[in-house]
Protein backbone atom coordinates (compact mmCIF):
# COMPACT_ATOMS: atom_id res chain seq x y z
CA UNK A 1 0.00 0.00 0.00
CA UNK A 2 1.92 2.98 -1.29
CA UNK A 3 0.16 5.65 0.74
CA UNK A 4 3.09 7.64 2.04
CA UNK A 5 5.35 10.08 0.32
CA UNK A 6 8.31 12.08 1.63
CA UNK A 7 7.39 15.44 3.12
CA UNK A 8 8.63 18.35 1.06
CA UNK A 9 7.81 21.50 3.03
CA UNK A 10 7.55 24.67 0.99
CA UNK A 11 9.61 26.54 3.54
CA UNK A 12 11.13 25.47 6.83
CA UNK A 13 10.64 29.08 7.93
CA UNK A 14 6.88 28.41 8.07
CA UNK A 15 7.45 25.47 10.42
CA UNK A 16 9.55 27.32 13.01
CA UNK A 17 6.66 28.86 14.95
CA UNK A 18 5.18 25.39 15.31
CA UNK A 19 7.95 24.32 17.66
CA UNK A 20 6.80 26.92 20.18
CA UNK A 21 3.34 25.39 19.91
CA UNK A 22 4.92 21.93 20.30
CA UNK A 23 6.85 22.99 23.42
CA UNK A 24 3.69 24.48 24.91
CA UNK A 25 1.91 21.18 24.38
CA UNK A 26 4.81 19.30 26.02
CA UNK A 27 4.55 21.56 29.08
CA UNK A 28 0.74 21.30 29.18
CA UNK A 29 0.58 17.51 28.81
CA UNK A 30 3.57 16.84 31.10
CA UNK A 31 2.10 19.10 33.75
CA UNK A 32 -1.26 17.34 33.60
CA UNK A 33 0.30 13.86 33.70
CA UNK A 34 2.48 14.75 36.69
CA UNK A 35 -0.42 16.44 38.48
CA UNK A 36 -2.63 13.38 37.91
CA UNK A 37 -0.01 11.04 39.39
CA UNK A 38 0.59 13.26 42.42
CA UNK A 39 -3.10 13.85 43.17
CA UNK A 40 -3.82 10.14 42.78
CA UNK A 41 -1.10 9.16 45.24
CA UNK A 42 -2.06 11.89 47.69
CA UNK A 43 -5.81 11.24 47.76
CA UNK A 44 -5.24 7.49 48.18
CA UNK A 45 -2.73 8.06 50.99
CA UNK A 46 -5.26 10.36 52.70
CA UNK A 47 -8.35 8.15 52.39
CA UNK A 48 -7.27 4.68 51.27
CA UNK A 49 -10.41 4.62 49.12
CA UNK A 50 -10.49 3.37 45.54
CA UNK A 51 -13.84 5.15 45.18
CA UNK A 52 -12.18 8.48 45.92
CA UNK A 53 -9.69 7.79 43.13
CA UNK A 54 -12.60 7.24 40.77
CA UNK A 55 -14.29 10.41 41.99
CA UNK A 56 -11.19 12.46 41.19
CA UNK A 57 -11.31 11.25 37.59
CA UNK A 58 -15.05 11.82 37.38
CA UNK A 59 -14.78 15.36 38.75
CA UNK A 60 -12.13 16.17 36.15
CA UNK A 61 -14.28 14.77 33.33
CA UNK A 62 -17.67 16.26 34.26
CA UNK A 63 -16.79 19.88 33.30
CA UNK A 64 -15.99 18.68 29.78
CA UNK A 65 -19.55 17.36 29.46
CA UNK A 66 -21.27 20.30 31.13
CA UNK A 67 -19.29 23.03 29.35
CA UNK A 68 -18.83 21.53 25.88
CA UNK A 69 -21.13 23.98 24.09
CA UNK A 70 -19.94 27.07 26.00
CA UNK A 71 -16.28 26.12 25.53
CA UNK A 72 -16.63 25.68 21.78
CA UNK A 73 -18.29 29.07 21.38
CA UNK A 74 -15.67 30.76 23.58
CA UNK A 75 -12.79 29.24 21.58
CA UNK A 76 -14.35 30.62 18.38
CA UNK A 77 -15.11 34.09 19.79
CA UNK A 78 -11.95 34.86 21.77
CA UNK A 79 -8.20 34.68 21.24
CA UNK A 80 -7.20 31.00 21.43
CA UNK A 81 -3.67 31.79 22.59
CA UNK A 82 -5.06 33.80 25.49
CA UNK A 83 -7.45 30.99 26.46
CA UNK A 84 -4.54 28.53 26.66
CA UNK A 85 -2.42 31.04 28.62
CA UNK A 86 -5.20 31.63 31.16
CA UNK A 87 -5.75 27.89 31.53
CA UNK A 88 -2.04 27.30 32.15
CA UNK A 89 -1.83 30.09 34.73
CA UNK A 90 -4.89 28.80 36.61
CA UNK A 91 -3.48 25.27 36.66
CA UNK A 92 -0.17 26.69 37.88
CA UNK A 93 -2.11 28.30 40.74
CA UNK A 94 -3.67 24.90 41.55
CA UNK A 95 -0.17 23.38 41.69
CA UNK A 96 0.98 26.22 43.96
CA UNK A 97 -1.91 25.61 46.38
CA UNK A 98 -1.12 21.90 46.52
CA UNK A 99 2.62 22.56 46.97
CA UNK A 100 1.96 24.96 49.87
CA UNK A 101 -0.53 22.57 51.41
CA UNK A 102 1.99 19.73 51.22
CA UNK A 103 4.72 21.81 52.90
CA UNK A 104 2.79 23.44 55.76
CA UNK A 105 0.86 21.44 58.33
CA UNK A 106 -1.29 24.50 59.13
CA UNK A 107 -2.66 24.46 55.57
CA UNK A 108 -2.83 20.75 54.93
CA UNK A 109 -4.20 19.20 51.76
CA UNK A 110 -7.36 17.21 52.45
CA UNK A 111 -9.86 15.15 50.49
CA UNK A 112 -12.34 18.00 50.02
CA UNK A 113 -9.67 20.41 48.75
CA UNK A 114 -8.47 17.85 46.20
CA UNK A 115 -12.05 17.35 44.98
CA UNK A 116 -12.56 21.10 44.53
CA UNK A 117 -9.25 21.51 42.72
CA UNK A 118 -10.07 18.52 40.52
CA UNK A 119 -13.11 20.41 39.25
CA UNK A 120 -10.89 23.44 38.56
CA UNK A 121 -8.41 21.26 36.65
CA UNK A 122 -11.22 19.65 34.66
CA UNK A 123 -12.62 23.07 33.78
CA UNK A 124 -9.23 24.27 32.57
CA UNK A 125 -8.76 21.12 30.49
CA UNK A 126 -12.20 21.65 28.98
CA UNK A 127 -10.95 24.95 27.55
CA UNK A 128 -7.29 24.32 26.74
CA UNK A 129 -7.72 21.07 24.77
CA UNK A 130 -10.13 22.46 22.13
CA UNK A 131 -8.23 25.75 22.06
CA UNK A 132 -4.93 23.98 21.33
CA UNK A 133 -6.54 21.86 18.61
CA UNK A 134 -8.20 24.86 16.96
CA UNK A 135 -5.03 26.96 17.24
CA UNK A 136 -2.78 24.64 15.23
CA UNK A 137 -4.21 25.59 11.78
CA UNK A 138 -3.45 29.23 12.70
CA UNK A 139 0.21 28.33 13.24
CA UNK A 140 1.17 26.33 10.13
CA UNK A 141 -0.09 26.42 6.53
CA UNK A 142 -2.34 23.58 5.36
CA UNK A 143 0.46 22.09 3.25
CA UNK A 144 2.44 21.46 6.44
CA UNK A 145 -0.52 20.46 8.58
CA UNK A 146 -0.25 16.61 8.40
CA UNK A 147 3.38 16.48 9.69
CA UNK A 148 2.48 19.17 12.22
CA UNK A 149 -0.36 17.01 13.60
CA UNK A 150 2.02 14.04 13.84
CA UNK A 151 4.65 16.14 15.60
CA UNK A 152 2.02 17.55 17.96
CA UNK A 153 0.87 14.02 18.79
CA UNK A 154 4.48 13.04 19.47
CA UNK A 155 4.59 15.70 22.20
CA UNK A 156 1.56 14.08 23.80
CA UNK A 157 3.00 10.57 23.67
CA UNK A 158 6.48 11.57 24.89
CA UNK A 159 4.93 13.34 27.86
CA UNK A 160 2.69 10.35 28.55
CA UNK A 161 5.71 8.04 28.66
CA UNK A 162 8.13 10.17 30.69
CA UNK A 163 6.11 12.56 32.86
CA UNK A 164 4.28 10.03 35.11
CA UNK A 165 7.55 8.26 35.96
CA UNK A 166 9.23 11.58 36.76
CA UNK A 167 6.27 12.65 38.87
CA UNK A 168 6.33 9.38 40.80
CA UNK A 169 10.07 9.66 41.51
CA UNK A 170 9.74 13.22 42.78
CA UNK A 171 6.71 12.32 44.91
CA UNK A 172 8.87 9.75 46.71
CA UNK A 173 11.10 12.67 47.79
CA UNK A 174 8.18 14.89 48.73
CA UNK A 175 4.82 15.88 47.29
CA UNK A 176 5.79 19.54 47.35
CA UNK A 177 8.64 18.87 44.89
CA UNK A 178 6.24 17.23 42.43
CA UNK A 179 3.80 20.13 42.62
CA UNK A 180 6.62 22.68 42.30
CA UNK A 181 7.80 21.03 39.07
CA UNK A 182 4.19 21.06 37.94
CA UNK A 183 3.98 24.79 38.67
CA UNK A 184 7.16 25.49 36.68
CA UNK A 185 5.97 23.48 33.68
CA UNK A 186 2.66 25.34 33.49
CA UNK A 187 4.33 28.75 33.82
CA UNK A 188 6.89 27.81 31.17
CA UNK A 189 4.10 26.77 28.82
CA UNK A 190 2.28 30.08 29.40
CA UNK A 191 5.45 32.06 28.64
CA UNK A 192 6.22 30.10 25.48
CA UNK A 193 2.75 30.39 23.98
CA UNK A 194 2.72 34.12 24.73
CA UNK A 195 5.54 34.48 22.16
CA UNK A 196 3.85 32.30 19.55
CA UNK A 197 3.20 34.13 16.26
CA UNK A 198 0.04 32.98 14.53
CA UNK A 199 -2.11 33.95 11.61
CA UNK A 200 -5.09 36.14 12.31
CA UNK A 201 -7.94 34.14 13.81
CA UNK A 202 -11.32 34.40 12.06
CA UNK A 203 -13.37 34.98 15.18
CA UNK A 204 -17.07 34.23 15.16
CA UNK A 205 -19.26 37.33 15.24
CA UNK A 206 -22.41 35.41 16.19
CA UNK A 207 -24.13 36.29 19.43
CA UNK A 208 -23.83 33.55 22.04
CA UNK A 209 -27.28 32.02 21.66
CA UNK A 210 -28.45 28.43 21.92
CA UNK A 211 -28.40 28.27 18.12
CA UNK A 212 -24.77 29.43 17.94
CA UNK A 213 -23.76 27.06 20.75
CA UNK A 214 -25.24 24.10 18.84
CA UNK A 215 -23.63 25.16 15.55
CA UNK A 216 -20.67 22.82 16.04
CA UNK A 217 -22.93 19.81 16.50
CA UNK A 218 -24.96 20.78 13.41
CA UNK A 219 -21.80 21.30 11.36
CA UNK A 220 -20.47 17.84 12.23
CA UNK A 221 -23.81 16.26 11.37
CA UNK A 222 -23.83 18.02 8.00
CA UNK A 223 -20.37 16.68 7.03
CA UNK A 224 -20.53 12.87 6.65
CA UNK A 225 -16.75 12.44 6.51
CA UNK A 226 -16.20 14.39 9.72
CA UNK A 227 -19.09 12.67 11.51
CA UNK A 228 -17.87 9.27 10.33
CA UNK A 229 -14.28 9.84 11.42
CA UNK A 230 -15.15 11.19 14.87
CA UNK A 231 -17.75 8.49 15.59
CA UNK A 232 -15.46 5.74 14.25
CA UNK A 233 -12.81 6.74 16.78
CA UNK A 234 -15.43 6.92 19.54
CA UNK A 235 -16.72 3.38 19.06
CA UNK A 236 -13.37 1.80 18.17
CA UNK A 237 -11.73 3.07 21.37
CA UNK A 238 -14.89 2.37 23.38
CA UNK A 239 -14.88 -1.30 22.39
CA UNK A 240 -11.12 -1.80 22.22
CA UNK A 241 -10.25 -0.48 25.68
CA UNK A 242 -7.90 -3.32 26.66
CA UNK A 243 -5.58 -1.01 28.60
CA UNK A 244 -8.11 -0.73 31.43
CA UNK A 245 -7.50 -4.42 32.22
CA UNK A 246 -3.69 -4.27 32.18
CA UNK A 247 -3.33 -4.74 35.97
CA UNK A 248 -5.17 -8.08 35.69
CA UNK A 249 -3.01 -9.19 32.76
CA UNK A 250 0.20 -8.22 34.56
CA UNK A 251 -0.76 -9.99 37.76
CA UNK A 252 -2.81 -13.04 36.76
CA UNK A 253 -2.10 -13.86 33.11
CA UNK A 254 1.45 -12.72 32.33
CA UNK A 255 2.67 -13.03 35.97
CA UNK A 256 5.05 -10.07 35.79
CA UNK A 257 4.00 -7.89 38.71
CA UNK A 258 4.28 -4.08 38.97
CA UNK A 259 7.36 -3.71 36.76
CA UNK A 260 5.59 -5.54 33.94
CA UNK A 261 2.50 -3.38 34.40
CA UNK A 262 4.63 -0.28 33.94
CA UNK A 263 6.05 -1.62 30.67
CA UNK A 264 2.62 -2.69 29.44
CA UNK A 265 1.19 0.76 30.15
CA UNK A 266 4.05 2.44 28.28
CA UNK A 267 3.95 0.14 25.23
CA UNK A 268 1.01 1.80 23.37
CA UNK A 269 2.58 5.23 23.86
CA UNK A 270 5.92 3.92 22.55
CA UNK A 271 4.22 2.62 19.40
CA UNK A 272 2.34 5.88 18.95
CA UNK A 273 5.52 7.94 19.42
CA UNK A 274 7.46 5.88 16.85
CA UNK A 275 4.60 6.13 14.36
CA UNK A 276 4.26 9.88 14.87
CA UNK A 277 7.98 10.27 14.12
CA UNK A 278 7.51 8.26 10.91
CA UNK A 279 4.49 10.30 9.86
CA UNK A 280 6.40 13.54 10.38
CA UNK A 281 8.85 12.39 7.71
CA UNK A 282 6.39 10.50 5.49
CA UNK A 283 2.92 12.04 5.89
CA UNK A 284 0.03 10.04 4.45
CA UNK A 285 -0.94 11.72 1.19
CA UNK A 286 -3.15 9.29 -0.75
CA UNK A 287 -6.00 6.83 -0.14
CA UNK A 288 -6.36 8.28 3.34
CA UNK A 289 -9.81 6.75 3.89
CA UNK A 290 -8.61 3.22 3.22
CA UNK A 291 -5.51 3.79 5.32
CA UNK A 292 -7.58 5.04 8.27
CA UNK A 293 -9.97 2.08 8.15
CA UNK A 294 -7.00 -0.31 7.77
CA UNK A 295 -5.40 1.27 10.84
CA UNK A 296 -8.60 0.77 12.86
CA UNK A 297 -8.71 -2.87 11.72
CA UNK A 298 -5.08 -3.36 12.78
CA UNK A 299 -6.00 -1.79 16.14
CA UNK A 300 -8.74 -4.41 16.53
CA UNK A 301 -6.48 -7.30 15.49
CA UNK A 302 -3.72 -6.16 17.86
CA UNK A 303 -6.31 -6.05 20.65
CA UNK A 304 -7.31 -9.66 19.91
CA UNK A 305 -3.66 -10.80 19.85
CA UNK A 306 -3.02 -9.10 23.17
CA UNK A 307 -6.16 -10.63 24.66
CA UNK A 308 -5.13 -14.18 23.71
CA UNK A 309 -1.40 -13.84 24.45
CA UNK A 310 0.22 -15.52 27.44
CA UNK A 311 3.71 -14.36 26.41
CA UNK A 312 4.97 -11.10 27.89
CA UNK A 313 7.04 -10.29 24.80
CA UNK A 314 4.14 -10.90 22.41
CA UNK A 315 1.81 -8.85 24.61
CA UNK A 316 4.24 -5.93 24.57
CA UNK A 317 4.57 -6.16 20.79
CA UNK A 318 0.79 -6.24 20.35
CA UNK A 319 0.39 -3.12 22.47
CA UNK A 320 3.12 -1.30 20.52
CA UNK A 321 1.31 -2.14 17.25
CA UNK A 322 -1.99 -1.09 18.80
CA UNK A 323 -0.56 2.33 19.73
CA UNK A 324 1.03 2.81 16.30
CA UNK A 325 -2.23 1.95 14.50
CA UNK A 326 -4.19 4.33 16.71
CA UNK A 327 -1.74 7.13 15.89
CA UNK A 328 -2.35 6.71 12.14
CA UNK A 329 -6.08 7.10 12.69
CA UNK A 330 -5.58 10.09 14.99
CA UNK A 331 -3.35 11.98 12.54
CA UNK A 332 -5.67 11.42 9.56
CA UNK A 333 -8.79 12.33 11.52
CA UNK A 334 -7.40 15.45 13.17
CA UNK A 335 -5.87 16.72 9.93
CA UNK A 336 -8.92 16.73 7.72
CA UNK A 337 -11.37 17.59 10.52
CA UNK A 338 -9.40 20.75 11.32
CA UNK A 339 -8.70 21.76 7.73
CA UNK A 340 -12.23 21.13 6.45
CA UNK A 341 -13.73 23.20 9.27
CA UNK A 342 -13.90 27.00 8.79
CA UNK A 343 -11.68 28.85 11.25
CA UNK A 344 -14.64 30.56 12.92
CA UNK A 345 -16.14 27.09 13.64
CA UNK A 346 -13.03 25.20 14.76
CA UNK A 347 -13.52 25.83 18.47
CA UNK A 348 -17.02 24.39 18.53
CA UNK A 349 -16.08 21.40 16.39
CA UNK A 350 -12.93 20.78 18.49
CA UNK A 351 -14.95 20.95 21.71
CA UNK A 352 -17.35 18.26 20.47
CA UNK A 353 -14.40 16.16 19.23
CA UNK A 354 -12.67 16.55 22.60
CA UNK A 355 -15.83 15.38 24.37
CA UNK A 356 -16.02 12.32 22.11
CA UNK A 357 -12.38 11.46 22.84
CA UNK A 358 -12.85 11.84 26.59
CA UNK A 359 -16.08 9.85 26.57
CA UNK A 360 -14.54 7.01 24.56
CA UNK A 361 -11.63 6.71 27.00
CA UNK A 362 -13.73 6.95 30.16
CA UNK A 363 -16.62 4.79 28.95
CA UNK A 364 -14.18 2.36 27.32
CA UNK A 365 -12.60 1.64 30.69
CA UNK A 366 -16.04 1.09 32.20
CA UNK A 367 -17.11 -1.14 29.29
CA UNK A 368 -13.98 -3.27 29.61
CA UNK A 369 -14.44 -3.67 33.36
CA UNK A 370 -18.12 -4.53 33.06
CA UNK A 371 -17.54 -7.03 30.24
CA UNK A 372 -14.67 -8.64 32.16
CA UNK A 373 -16.93 -9.02 35.21
CA UNK A 374 -19.57 -10.73 33.07
CA UNK A 375 -17.50 -12.93 30.74
CA UNK A 376 -13.96 -12.98 32.14
CA UNK A 377 -10.87 -10.92 31.33
CA UNK A 378 -9.64 -12.67 28.17
CA UNK A 379 -13.09 -12.96 26.53
CA UNK A 380 -13.72 -9.28 27.31
CA UNK A 381 -10.58 -8.12 25.50
CA UNK A 382 -11.11 -10.47 22.55
CA UNK A 383 -14.75 -9.41 22.20
CA UNK A 384 -13.62 -5.79 22.27
CA UNK A 385 -11.19 -6.42 19.42
CA UNK A 386 -13.84 -8.25 17.40
CA UNK A 387 -16.24 -5.38 18.09
CA UNK A 388 -13.69 -2.89 16.75
CA UNK A 389 -13.36 -4.91 13.53
CA UNK A 390 -17.16 -5.02 13.21
CA UNK A 391 -17.43 -1.25 13.72
CA UNK A 392 -14.78 -0.62 11.04
CA UNK A 393 -16.67 -2.83 8.56
CA UNK A 394 -20.02 -1.24 9.40
CA UNK A 395 -18.67 2.32 9.17
CA UNK A 396 -17.26 1.61 5.70
CA UNK A 397 -20.84 0.89 4.61
CA UNK A 398 -22.43 3.76 6.52
CA UNK A 399 -19.85 6.35 5.38
CA UNK A 400 -18.73 5.25 1.90
CA UNK A 401 -17.35 8.70 0.99
CA UNK A 402 -15.03 8.50 4.01
CA UNK A 403 -13.83 5.03 2.96
CA UNK A 404 -13.21 6.30 -0.60
CA UNK A 405 -11.53 9.52 0.50
CA UNK A 406 -8.30 9.92 -1.48
CA UNK A 407 -6.59 13.02 -0.04
CA UNK A 408 -6.67 14.82 3.28
CA UNK A 409 -7.18 18.28 1.76
CA UNK A 410 -6.71 20.03 -1.54
CA UNK A 411 -3.39 21.78 -1.93
CA UNK A 412 -3.55 25.48 -1.06
CA UNK A 413 -1.03 28.26 -1.29
CA UNK A 414 -1.75 29.72 2.11
CA UNK A 415 1.00 30.40 4.57
CA UNK A 416 1.07 31.91 8.05
CA UNK A 417 1.81 35.54 8.42
CA UNK A 418 4.93 35.19 10.50
Amino acid sequence: MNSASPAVPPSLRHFRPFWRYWLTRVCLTSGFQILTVAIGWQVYSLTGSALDLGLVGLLQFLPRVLLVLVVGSAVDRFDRKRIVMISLVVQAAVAAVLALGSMHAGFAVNRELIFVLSVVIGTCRSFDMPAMQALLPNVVPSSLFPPAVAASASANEAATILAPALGGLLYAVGAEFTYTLNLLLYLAGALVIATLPARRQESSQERMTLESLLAGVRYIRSRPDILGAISLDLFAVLLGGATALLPIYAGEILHTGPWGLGLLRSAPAVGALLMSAYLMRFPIARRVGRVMFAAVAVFGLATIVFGLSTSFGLSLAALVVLGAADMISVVIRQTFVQLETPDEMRGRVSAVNSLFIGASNQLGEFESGATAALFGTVPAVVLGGVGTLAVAALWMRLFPSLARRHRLVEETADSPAV
Side-chain angles (χ1 to χ4, degrees), residues 231-241 296 299 303 360 384 387-388 391-392:
S231 57
L232 173 65
D233 178 74
L234 168 65
F235 287 103
V237 175
L238 178 66
L239 293 172
V296 173
F299 180 92
T303 300
S360 65
T388 299
V391 165

Side-chain angles (χ1 to χ4, degrees), residues 57-187:
L58 179 62
L59 290 171
Q60 290 182 9
F61 177 68
L62 278 179
R64 193 180 302 180
V65 178
L66 299 176
L67 298 174
V68 58
L69 298 179
V70 175
V71 166
S73 185
V75 171
D76 283 333
R77 291 173 64 87
F78 304 111
D79 183 9
R80 291 160 186 163
K81 281 173 49 178
R82 187 167 298 177
I83 290 173
V84 177
M85 286 174 58
I86 293 172
S87 174
L88 284 163
V89 170
V90 172
Q91 289 177 89
V94 169
V97 170
L98 290 168
L100 290 172
S102 300
M103 285 189 289
H104 300 290
F107 175 53
V109 175
N110 56 37
R111 174 178 179 268
E112 289 70 27
L113 177 63
I114 290 177
F115 284 172
V116 171
L117 294 180
S118 293
V119 174
V120 176
I121 294 166
T123 303
C124 290
R125 296 287 290 173
S126 299
F127 281 90
D128 62 43
M129 291 177 66
M132 285 294 285
Q133 286 184 15
L135 179 61
L136 183 55
N138 301 130
V139 176
V140 296
S142 60
S143 55
L144 288 175
F145 198 71
V149 171
S152 178
S154 74
N156 226 38
E157 301 305 331
T160 301
I161 295 170
L162 300 175
L166 179 59
L169 288 172
L170 278 177
Y171 195 93
V173 179
E176 63 272 20
F177 294 103
T178 305
Y179 292 128
T180 300
L181 173 61
N182 198 236
L183 167 67
L184 295 175
L185 283 169
Y186 281 138
L187 291 180

